[in-house]
Amino acid sequence: MAFELPALPYAGDALAGVGMSAETLEFHHGKHHQAYVTALNGFVDKNDALKGKSLDEIVLLSNGKADLAPVFNNAGQHWNHILFWQALSPKGGRIPGALETKIVGDFGSVDAFKEAFKAQAVGQFGSGWAWLVLGSDGKLKVTKSANGSNPLASGEGKALLGLDVWEHSYYIDFRNRRPDYVSNFLDKLANYEFAEAQLKSA
Ligand code: MN3
């Protein structure tokens, strides 16, 4: 069973009013994410060790193996973007009560969480991701990863939110202003309802 590009959980122009244009989604979902899926399926076709494995299994078995680096990069990016589309919402930015209580308990305040997340997202040199993660100690933390890696591969915990900071994710709408893209995500675009659902299912 080949991996497939998931449909967006909203219309292609649904995020235009909150900082992500239809053009960005058309390229990012329709071209970039599709390319990762196509490449991953090509690798699976040629490698019996990958056939029949779930996406999580392929991420974990290719992690850290030099000869499987192209597999890891594309599987990781497929995993990351599946989460990313769900982490965005046309009605984003509003933090529901249970998650807010948890954020205040673990970071001190919502503002402190946003500052910490922004520091990770802006501080990731080059391409990568910033994450809100539930660690194995039961506490929320913010992390970053390079290129296609993620909290599944690093073992840092369960991802509640992920923000793509590859230039293809913000260059059409924010040009080189990554800090503005990150602030817009935290204040207007982030689907904290999804993050809270991830927290409750952990
Ligand atoms: Mn991307």
Side-chain angles (χ1 to χ4, degrees), residues 117-131:
F117 188 96
K118 193 169 176 179
Q120 297 291 323
V122 173
Q124 171 55 38
F125 185 77
S127 297
W129 294 77
W131 305 94

Side-chain angles (χ1 to χ4, degrees), residues 28 32-33 36 77 81 84-85 129 164-166 168-169:
H28 196 176
H32 289 276
H33 189 176
Y36 300 129
Q77 283 291 71
H81 286 85
F84 181 53
W85 308 128
W129 294 77
D164 193 337
V165 297
W166 286 56
H168 66 229
S169 65

